[in-house]
Structures are given as structure tokens and as C-alpha cells.
Amino acid sequence: MSERIALITGGNKGIGFAIVRALCRQLQDRGIVYLTARNEQLGLEAVKTLQGEGLNPQFLRLDLADAKSIEAARDVIREKHGGLDILVNNAAIAYNSSSKEPFSEQAENTVAIDFFGTLNVCEILFPLLRPHARVVNVSSRAGDVGKLTNSALLLRITSDDLSLEELKKTESDFVSAAQRGTHQDVGFPNTAYGMSKIGVTALSALQQRDFDKLGTDIVVNSCCPGWVNTDMSRTTTGKSIDEGADTPVYLALLPPRQETGGDQEPIPRGKFLCERNIVDWTKGFSA
């Protein structure tokens, strides 16, 4: 197989950093791994740390809130490599439960980054995806559709024929309802992070459906890395970042279609995984 090109968003710390490290080790001299971060200094410091471990990631600035930075990263990948083989959408934000910001502000900012920012990365970088490319959208069990109390909304967001425009409208409607203070009254959960991750998981299934219509072996999956000890989770009792990176890296390295068969299980396509296992996200996680 020719040199594989990988790009990871939010790679300067936490799970993203561990994903970069693992992919550098797995690909070694068979690929190039791009660590991206919105803060150039922090990104370069992370690269230097990994270089101290004998690894050689490359750095690109990429900010989910800045479409021009995504386009600039795209241009570098296209001009230097002609395409992309692995895309891991890891970057996200989450407010602390004790945050003083109004919920309306939390909803607007979280959905803008975690859902629409991830979508922007996909729309700008997907044209670079080569045959057998693998896309991993890091989501979360916090994105629990079981917390949607509006049955019509639940049925729609888990529908096999959900459109991208419907999904975008649902996320925007959540933000609007949060700004009015009526989000729970109309059936949305009282968690901005959770609602954004419901969107990311639904988006992944939708994206795979669209790729399948083209007959391509490009694979998109979403996953929950688990409760990991990071700045975002603010816990010291969870998994290590390397343990949290395991499922995203597993999905990023799924083999090409022609390398499966025989007694092997079909590779997941458009699924949601935890601990490398497929979980039916459409049933909710509350039970």
C-alpha cells in the first residue's frame, strides 16, 4: 500500500494527542500523520513532545471555528499529497457543569463547534478522501437519543432517510429553543454537549449512507472513547488517554474491503462503537 496520509483535529492534548501518537506508531514509515490544533504554539509543543518519543508527526493549524484555516489545511494536503486516507474528527468543546455562562450561550457555542465545526471539516476535506479512506467522528454516549422526550423528533433524527438539511435544522432548532429557554419543553435534552454529539453520531450514519450510494469503500463511523482522564472530562478516575484512543485508532485503521472476507466479520460502516463494539445508538443509552 502506498503512503497513507492521516489528519487528526484537536491533536495537541488529550485523546487527540494519543490518537496522533498511536497512528504515528502504527503507520511508522508507511504514512504521515498531521497533528492539527487551533493554537499553533500548543500544537508545535505537542509535536515536539512526540518527536522526543522518536515519532514524527507534522503540524497544521486548524480551527473548527475558522473555515479559512480548514481550507488552508486542505490546500497543504492536496498540494503535498494529492489526497487524504484517514480523517479523525476529534476536536470539541464542553462546558463544566459548574460553568456560569447562560445555557443559551453554552448551547450556541457548543453546537457551533462540536456539530457545525465538525461538519465544516468534513465538507471541506471530504473531496480529498481517497479510495478506502477511513473517517472517525469522535462522539460520546453523552449524545443519548433516549433523552429526547419528543417522540417525533426521536423518530426523525434516527430515521434511515434523515437528510443533512433536517439534521442541521434540528441542531439549530435546539439552539434557538435554548435561547428562548424552552428546549426541554419541546423535547430536547438539557445538555448542549449531549445534543451536539447526538448530531455527530447521526451525521456519521448519514455520511456513510451517502458514500454507499456512490459504491465507494470510504468508511465513516462514530465512537465513544469512554470516560477518559482529560481536561474536558475533568476526572482523575477514568481511562488513560491512550486507552481512550483505542477505539478511534481501531476505526481509523479498518482494512480495505478486499482484505476482509472468509470467516472475518464485516467491518463497521456508519456505526457507533464503544470499546470496539457496535452499539445501537438509535435505542438510546439510558437503559
Side-chain angles (χ1 to χ4, degrees), residues 48-273:
K48 185 176 181 180
T49 297
L50 291 172
Q51 288 173 339
E53 299 178 11
L55 305 173
N56 191 34
Q58 306 297 305
F59 174 73
L60 286 173
R61 181 180 176 275
L62 190 153
D63 182 351
L64 269 63
D66 179 4
K68 289 185 177 179
S69 75
I70 306 171
E71 292 167 352
R74 173 203 62 196
D75 293 345
V76 171
I77 298 294
R78 182 172 56 197
E79 292 166 12
K80 294 182 68 172
H81 309 291
L84 186 63
D85 302 287
I86 296 171
L87 172 61
V88 182
N89 286 305
N90 164 76
I93 63 170
Y95 283 82
N96 192 311
S97 59
S98 62
S99 295
K100 303 300 183 183
E101 292 85 352
F103 186 77
S104 58
E105 180 180 331
Q106 295 184 34
E108 181 177 7
N109 293 339
T110 304
V111 170
I113 296 298
D114 296 5
F115 176 74
F116 284 104
T118 296
L119 176 60
N120 284 342
V121 171
C122 291
E123 291 186 330
I124 292 170
L125 296 186
F126 272 15
L128 294 182
L129 295 179
R130 294 196 276 225
H132 313 302
R134 301 300 184 241
V135 178
V136 184
N137 294 325
V138 178
S139 189
S140 173
R141 288 175 65 97
D144 183 0
V145 295
K147 294 180 179 178
L148 297 173
T149 59
N150 181 320
S151 59
L153 175 60
L154 172 61
L155 288 172
R156 195 67 222 137
I157 207 164
T158 58
S159 171
D160 289 339
D161 63 356
L162 175 71
S163 72
L164 178 57
E165 290 307 313
E166 286 177 308
L167 180 56
K168 289 163 62 176
K169 183 177 186 302
T170 299
E171 292 291 329
S172 295
D173 286 348
F174 165 69
V175 173
S176 296
Q179 292 171 336
R180 295 191 299 270
T182 61
H183 57 285
Q184 290 182 281
D185 297 336
V186 296
F188 289 113
N190 194 35
T191 162
Y193 181 74
M195 189 61 208
S196 73
K197 291 303 186 179
I198 287 174
V200 169
T201 302
L203 175 66
S204 305
L206 188 159
Q207 290 170 331
Q208 185 64 66
R209 184 193 69 197
D210 289 346
F211 280 126
D212 286 345
K213 289 178 181 177
L214 300 175
T216 177
D217 185 38
I218 295 174
V219 172
V220 184
N221 288 294
S222 60
C223 66
C224 177
W227 193 246
V228 181
N229 181 11
T230 66
D231 291 346
M232 182 180 290
S233 66
R234 303 173 181 89
T235 179
T236 59
T237 60
K239 296 179 178 180
S240 70
I241 58 173
D242 294 305
E243 291 171 330
D246 179 72
T247 297
V249 172
Y250 160 72
L251 292 172
L253 297 175
L254 288 172
R257 180 183 292 156
Q258 66 263 29
E259 293 184 13
T260 62
D263 295 331
Q264 290 182 311
E265 292 292 326
I267 66 173
R269 303 173 67 89
K271 304 300 184 181
F272 177 86
L273 285 83

